[in-house]
Amino acid sequence: MLKINNLFKYYNTNKSNEIKAVDGVTLELEGKGLVVLLGKSGCGKSTLLNVLGGLDVFNSGEVTIDDKTFSKYNAKELDELRNRKIGYVFQNYNLIPDITVSENLKISLDLAGIVDNQKERIEYALDLVGLAKYQNRYPQNLSGGQQQRVGIARAIVKNPEILIADEPTGNLDDTNTVAVMRILKGLSKHCLVIMVTHEENLADYYADRIIRLADGKVVSDEINESNATLDHRSKDVIYLGDLERNDVTLGGLNMEFFGEHNAKANIKIVSYDNKLYIKIDTDKVVNIVDEDSSIKLTEEKYTVKEKNEDEAELDLDKLTATERKKTHAIDYKRTCKNVLNDFLATRGQRRKNRFRTMFLCSLIFVLLVAANAGSLVYNEFAYKPHDSNVICINAKESDVAKMGLDGRVVNKGVNVSVTISAGASPFESQASLGNASNVGVLPASIFGIALDEGEVKVDKLLYDRGIKNTSLSDVGIVLPEQLIGMRLDIDNKIYGSVYYYPEGNEEDYYNKPTAYTETVVTDEPLYLTIVGLENRNEPLVYVSDADYERLYTLENYVYKDANTFFYANNPRKTIKELEDKGIKATSYATYVKKIFYKTSIATHVISLLVIVLLLVVQLIGVYKLTKSRFIAAQKKFAIMRTIGVPKNQLVLNAFFESLYIFSLSSFRGWLFSSVVVIAADNMSVINTLENLIGTQIIYYPVWLALASLAVMAVFSVLVALLTPLTYLTRTPAKLISNYDV
Ligand code: ADP
Ligand code: MG
C-alpha cells in the first residue's frame, strides 16, 4: 500500500525560482490494478512518483509505505522497504551496462534477500517478458524494447507488491509500447502497478484508475470506465488480409502475391540443380521473411484492439519469495578486476600513469623516511640521558650554588668527545665511544666509586653500543675485558662561539659596545686509562674528582643559556623545591629530548616538507584516480542507488576499490623500497659509512615501516572515499535525474 498525505515538495525552496512540483497531494493507492498518473510534461508526475516510491525527499506531509509512515525521507529504512516491496521501471531502462541481463536481475534478487533458486527465478522472469534466450547478453546488445522488457523482468523477478514505472514506453516505438503495456497490464492482475505517462490513449485503453495532475495538484482521480479501443498498428506485422491477393499456379510454380492496389513485381525464378535462383527486377528493398526475422506475416486484417483484449497472461506464483536472507548485491571482486584493468590498460594512459606516480611517490617517501628518521626519531637508547639524577635548572651556576640544594653541580655544558685508542702509537687506531650528546662524563665519587687521577671506568652500555655499530670490532675489540688497560681520551674542545664578558657581567655584554664573542681555543685532551667497567646501564664514563675538575675548569666554557646541570640526590624533591621558588627545572631526560626535537626538526625542515609533499602528491593521485573512475561509473552508481542498493554497500565497494588501488600503487612502492632499505641497512658498507660520518644513514625499524604504510593507507582510503561519500548525500531521485532525457 502506498499513501501520501497532504504532501508538498518544492524545488529551489525560498528562491525566486521556487517550483511547487507537488502541491498538497493526498492519495491512497492500494491493492492491485494499473493506476496511471497522467498529465502534461512538467506537471509534477515524476516528482510525485519518486516521493511515492521512496526515492526522494519532500518538504512536508507524510508518505506511508506498507504501514510505515515517514514524515521525512529516511534512506536506510526506505531502502529496506523498497527492496522488498517495490520494483522500478524507468523510461531509460537504467540497466547496468557492464553486466549481463541475468546479472542485472540477480542484483534485484540479492537486494530483496531472495537467495534460493535464483537461476530458475531469473530464467522464469525473462521468459515472462519473452527474453529467455537473452540471459547472457549485455544490455547494449539489445534493442530498446528488449532492454525495457529486461527492466520489467528486473522489477518483477523479486515479485514486488508495487511496481513503479515512470514513462516506461517513453522511448519506445508503437510495437514495443504495446509489448511493454501488455506485460504491465498482465502484471497489474498480480500487484499494484503505478505508471506515469502523458499518452492519453494508453491511459484510456489500459488504466484501471486514472489520476490527472496539473501544476503539482491532483485535478481528477477516477476509475477508468471508458471503452476505448487501441489503435496501435505494429510496423513489424504485415496484415495480408488488408492487401490485394493474386495467386499464380503454373506447372510446378505455386506463388501467392499480395500487394497494395496495382502493385507490380517482376520476378524470375529458376529451379536448377536442386537449388532455387530468384532474380528480382525491381527498385524495391527486398526482405526475406524467415523464422528469425522480426517481421511477422499474418493472414488477418488489421483491427483496433477492443478493451481488455490486449494483456499478457502472467503466472507469478513461481516467483514468490519463501525466505529472505541478507546478501550483498555488489560483486566486489568485479570492482577489483576493473581496477586491475585500469592498472594494466594499454589505453587510458592517464589512469595508468597515476598508478605509476603513486608508486614512485611512495617509494621515495619510504626512502626519505628511512634516511631522515634516524635523526628525527628520538631514540631513548642512543640518547639515553646521563643519569636519572641529573636535572637541568634554569638558573646560573653561581646562583644554583647558593641555593643549598641536595646535590652538586656536575656539568657546565662542555662538549666532550670520548675516544679509545687501541694499539701502540704511532699505529694506533681509534674508536669513538660517542660525544656530548650521547655520552656523559661524571665524577665517579657520585656513585661511590673510588678512582685515582688518570683512571677511568666505562659503563658496559658504551661497550654494547660500540659493538652494535661495529666501531669497536673494527679496531679489534670483541670482549669487554679488552677495554681494560686501554687509553681513553676525553676531548673537551668547544666548537662555536662563546660569549666573553670583560667585566664578567652579562648585562655589560648588551650595554657596552666593548663586549665581544670569541671562539674558545682547545684545551689539551685528558688521557686516561681504563681500569674497569661499570654495569649501571647508563651511557657514562666515570672519572676521578680531580680529572672532572680539570675537564671543567675553564669558566669560559660555560654555555650562557642560563642552564645549570645538577646532580640531585633526590631529583624529584629538588625539582619540586625549585618550582616552589619559581625556578624552572626539568629532568635531564626531558631537557635532552626537547633540545633534540628543536635541533633535529630545524635541520630537517626541507626533508620533512618533501616527505609531506610526497604524501600529498600520492593523495592527489588517489583522489584524481578514484574520482575519474567514479565519474566513469557514475551512472552505474546512480542506477544501483535507485534500484535500492544501500549506501553502506556502495561505500564498502569504494573502500575495497581504494584498498586495491592502494595495493597496486603506493603499497607496491612501499614494499619495494622497504625491501631495499632493510637490505641496505644490513650491508656492512652502510655500517662502515655510518661509523665514518658518525650518523645513522638508515633508520627503519619495523614500527616505522608499518607506521609509514599505515599513514599512507589511512589517508589514501579517506581521500578515495571523499567523492563517493559526497555523492551519496543525494537522494536516488536526484542521482538518476542526471540521466533523464
Ligand atoms: P513531469 O514528470 O510531470 O514532466 P517533473 O516532476 O519532472 O514533471 O517536474 C515538475 C516540475 O518540477 C517541473 O517544473 C520541473 O521543471 C521541476 N523540476 C523537476 N526536477 C527538478 C529539479 N531537480 N530541480 C529543479 N526543478 C525541477
Ligand atoms: Mg517526468
Side-chain angles (χ1 to χ4, degrees):
M1 184 196 58
L2 286 185
K3 217 159 82 179
I4 49 175
N5 187 18
N6 202 22
L7 195 95
F8 289 85
K9 172 157 174 75
Y10 310 134
Y11 291 110
N12 314 322
T13 317
N14 296 333
K15 291 194 193 132
S16 59
N17 56 345
E18 185 177 274
I19 296 167
K20 292 183 176 174
V22 178
D23 194 10
V25 173
T26 299
L27 270 183
E28 208 172 318
L29 307 168
E30 226 173 343
K32 292 170 185 170
L34 181 59
V35 180
V36 171
L37 299 178
L38 196 64
K40 288 194 195 124
S41 177
C43 71
K45 304 183 295 294
S46 297
T47 309
L48 181 62
L49 195 70
N50 285 336
V51 176
L52 262 175
L55 296 176
D56 210 350
V57 291
F58 48 93
N59 294 66
S60 68
E62 285 171 346
V63 176
T64 305
I65 301 178
D66 214 53
D67 298 343
K68 218 169 173 129
T69 299
F70 297 86
S71 54
K72 113 180 204 277
Y73 176 81
N74 176 334
K76 197 163 180 283
E77 286 185 28
L78 280 167
D79 286 349
E80 194 153 336
L81 270 175
R82 296 198 297 123
N83 280 325
R84 281 162 183 251
K85 313 269 177 188
I86 308 178
Y88 299 87
V89 175
F90 308 91
Q91 180 174 352
N92 302 323
Y93 331 128
N94 286 338
L95 301 176
I96 296 169
D98 63 343
I99 58 177
T100 63
V101 164
S102 64
E103 285 166 329
N104 265 284
L105 267 63
K106 183 179 183 305
I107 289 188
S108 186
L109 286 177
D110 287 338
L111 287 172
I114 304 171
V115 291
D116 61 316
N117 304 324
Q118 283 197 341
K119 200 168 172 304
E120 290 76 12
R121 287 172 192 272
I122 290 167
E123 274 172 17
Y124 189 71
L126 285 172
D127 197 36
L128 287 180
V129 297
L131 289 174
K133 280 191 271 176
Y134 295 85
Q135 274 200 57
N136 297 319
R137 290 250 194 130
Y138 286 88
Q140 70 263 32
N141 299 333
L142 298 176
S143 73
Q146 289 169 331
Q147 288 190 48
Q148 190 56 299
R149 280 187 278 154
V150 174
I152 296 174
R154 173 177 64 185
I156 62 178
V157 71
K158 64 179 180 181
N159 196 16
E161 289 170 22
I162 299 157
L163 188 127
I164 283 183
D166 192 355
E167 309 227 17
T169 61
N171 287 353
L172 302 178
D173 61 15
D174 286 353
T175 315
N176 282 305
T177 296
V178 171
V180 162
M181 286 311 303
R182 271 174 58 87
I183 300 171
L184 291 181
K185 181 69 185 175
L187 205 61
S188 71
K189 306 284 172 207
H190 303 272
C191 68
L192 179 65
V193 177
I194 307 164
M195 181 185 124
V196 159
T197 187
H198 58 259
E199 295 181 69
E200 295 263 355
N201 61 336
L202 289 183
D204 286 346
Y205 183 74
Y206 287 106
D208 297 313
R209 176 177 166 188
I210 299 177
I211 299 167
R212 285 174 200 272
L213 297 174
D215 293 332
K217 290 193 170 75
V218 174
V219 291
S220 80
D221 181 356
E222 287 162 351
I223 303 298
N224 180 20
E225 282 165 337
S226 89
N227 273 320
T229 52
L230 185 69
D231 188 1
H232 258 305
R233 183 188 282 268
S234 167
K235 291 191 186 67
D236 293 343
V237 182
I238 300 171
Y239 295 89
L240 299 180
D242 292 341
L243 300 174
E244 277 183 20
R245 174 173 185 164
N246 289 296
D247 288 1
V248 181
T249 311
L250 267 177
L253 176 67
N254 193 350
M255 196 165 75
E256 295 165 16
F257 179 59
F258 296 88
E260 284 132 352
H261 187 58
N262 282 341
K264 286 197 173 63
N266 299 321
I267 304 172
K268 198 170 268 170
I269 302 174
V270 181
S271 179
Y272 172 69
D273 195 15
N274 220 13
K275 284 176 187 146
L276 200 62
Y277 297 87
I278 303 174
K279 181 164 188 262
I280 301 165
D281 183 16
T282 170
D283 51 2
K284 291 191 178 108
V285 179
V286 176
N287 290 299
I288 307 284
V289 179
D290 60 14
E291 290 219 325
D292 291 338
S293 55
S294 60
I295 301 289
K296 297 275 174 288
L297 301 181
T298 167
E299 300 289 332
E300 290 163 24
K301 277 175 183 285
Y302 173 74
T303 50
V304 290
K305 297 221 160 56
E306 295 300 322
K307 190 82 182 177
N308 296 337
E309 197 186 333
D310 202 36
E311 55 193 53
E313 285 289 333
L314 301 179
D315 179 3
L316 296 186
D317 287 351
K318 283 198 185 153
L319 296 177
T320 311
T322 43
E323 50 163 350
R324 291 185 196 258
K325 271 188 198 149
K326 277 218 159 123
T327 43
H328 278 222
I330 299 180
D331 183 351
Y332 301 113
K333 259 194 250 159
R334 187 189 301 269
T335 305
C336 291
K337 218 166 84 187
N338 289 340
V339 173
L340 193 64
N341 285 342
D342 270 353
F343 174 68
L344 298 171
T346 43
R347 292 204 282 155
Q349 281 299 322
R350 188 173 292 177
R351 282 192 205 159
K352 199 185 164 86
N353 285 338
R354 291 219 195 289
F355 280 99
R356 284 198 194 129
T357 312
M358 284 147 70
F359 170 79
L360 278 177
C361 284
S362 141
L363 192 142
I364 304 170
F365 176 86
V366 169
L367 293 183
L368 277 184
V369 166
N372 287 283
S375 36
L376 275 172
V377 177
Y378 185 76
N379 182 340
E380 292 287 345
F381 180 75
Y383 295 98
K384 193 166 178 184
H386 302 183
D387 194 287
S388 51
N389 286 61
V390 177
I391 60 176
C392 172
I393 304 173
N394 188 232
K396 283 189 205 162
E397 190 206 339
S398 48
D399 294 335
V400 173
K402 286 181 221 148
M403 288 174 192
L405 299 167
D406 181 14
R408 55 171 295 191
V409 172
V410 285
N411 196 324
K412 296 171 181 173
V414 176
N415 259 345
V416 292
S417 77
V418 182
T419 40
I420 291 179
S421 302
S425 187
F427 306 108
E428 68 187 19
S429 38
Q430 293 205 331
S432 169
L433 283 188
N435 54 45
S437 69
N438 57 19
V439 175
V441 180
L442 282 182
S445 58
I446 289 174
F447 308 100
I449 306 164
L451 280 182
D452 285 340
E453 203 173 331
E455 289 178 344
V456 65
K457 281 190 167 183
V458 175
D459 202 286
K460 178 134 183 308
L461 184 76
L462 296 185
Y463 168 80
D464 292 339
R465 273 196 208 167
I467 288 296
K468 189 163 179 275
N469 66 23
T470 71
S471 61
L472 283 181
S473 50
D474 286 351
V475 296
I477 297 168
V478 289
L479 293 170
E481 293 73 30
Q482 275 177 278
L483 288 177
I484 294 169
M486 281 189 177
R487 200 187 81 200
L488 182 130
D489 306 346
I490 299 180
D491 193 345
N492 60 346
K493 272 191 201 115
I494 287 187
Y495 304 95
S497 301
V498 165
Y499 304 134
Y500 186 76
Y501 308 113
E503 251 82 54
N505 180 342
E506 200 168 345
E507 272 80 32
D508 291 343
Y509 171 70
Y510 298 103
N511 299 332
K512 288 188 182 174
T514 49
Y516 59 95
T517 62
E518 186 186 62
T519 305
V520 172
V521 203
T522 344
D523 193 21
E524 273 289 291
L526 276 185
Y527 298 114
L528 305 166
T529 306
I530 300 174
V531 294
L533 277 83
E534 280 294 315
N535 250 327
R536 294 171 51 85
N537 207 30
E538 301 272 3
L540 289 178
V541 295
Y542 310 84
V543 295
S544 67
D545 284 3
D547 287 327
Y548 188 78
E549 286 306 320
R550 273 180 62 200
L551 254 180
Y552 297 108
T553 41
L554 292 171
E555 276 301 319
N556 288 341
Y557 287 174
V558 178
Y559 280 127
K560 294 291 181 188
D561 64 354
N563 273 318
T564 302
F565 300 109
F566 188 83
Y567 185 92
N569 292 328
N570 187 342
R572 270 205 205 161
K573 194 172 142 231
T574 308
I575 290 177
K576 177 101 199 352
E577 230 175 286
L578 288 162
E579 270 172 4
D580 292 345
K581 287 185 192 164
I583 300 165
K584 266 195 234 155
T586 55
S587 74
Y588 190 57
T590 314
Y591 171 79
V592 171
K593 213 169 192 166
K594 227 159 76 189
I595 297 282
F596 172 85
Y597 281 122
K598 218 163 123 186
T599 52
S600 63
I601 289 174
T603 54
H604 289 80
V605 163
I606 302 283
S607 301
L608 280 174
L609 283 179
V610 175
I611 288 174
V612 171
L613 188 75
L614 285 165
L615 186 65
V616 169
V617 173
Q618 277 182 74
L619 295 181
I620 292 175
V622 173
Y623 179 73
K624 295 222 165 176
L625 181 64
T626 46
K627 186 161 181 172
S628 119
R629 289 186 48 79
F630 185 81
I631 285 170
Q634 203 172 1
K635 184 173 179 191
K636 184 173 164 180
F637 198 94
I639 295 172
M640 295 241 211
R641 193 66 199 100
T642 310
I643 62 172
V645 177
K647 289 181 186 182
N648 58 9
Q649 289 189 25
L650 289 165
V651 173
L652 198 61
N653 187 53
F655 174 76
F656 287 142
E657 185 180 26
S658 62
L659 266 194
Y660 195 55
I661 289 176
F662 180 76
S663 69
L664 287 175
S665 53
S666 305
F667 177 75
R668 278 173 60 240
W670 173 85
L671 195 66
F672 185 83
S673 45
S674 292
V675 168
V676 169
V677 165
I678 289 167
D681 199 17
N682 287 318
M683 268 162 43
S684 54
V685 185
I686 298 283
N687 287 325
T688 316
L689 205 62
E690 280 177 340
N691 289 332
L692 208 69
I693 61 175
T695 47
Q696 241 172 336
I697 298 172
I698 297 172
Y699 178 69
Y700 197 60
V702 174
W703 73 263
L704 188 59
L706 294 180
S708 38
L709 179 67
V711 165
M712 289 194 289
V714 167
F715 278 109
S716 297
V717 168
L718 287 181
V719 163
L721 289 179
L722 277 180
T723 317
L725 282 179
T726 30
Y727 199 72
L728 272 177
T729 56
R730 304 181 198 168
T731 62
K734 178 110 180 89
L735 295 179
I736 204 71
S737 69
N738 293 333
Y739 305 101
D740 286 347
V741 281

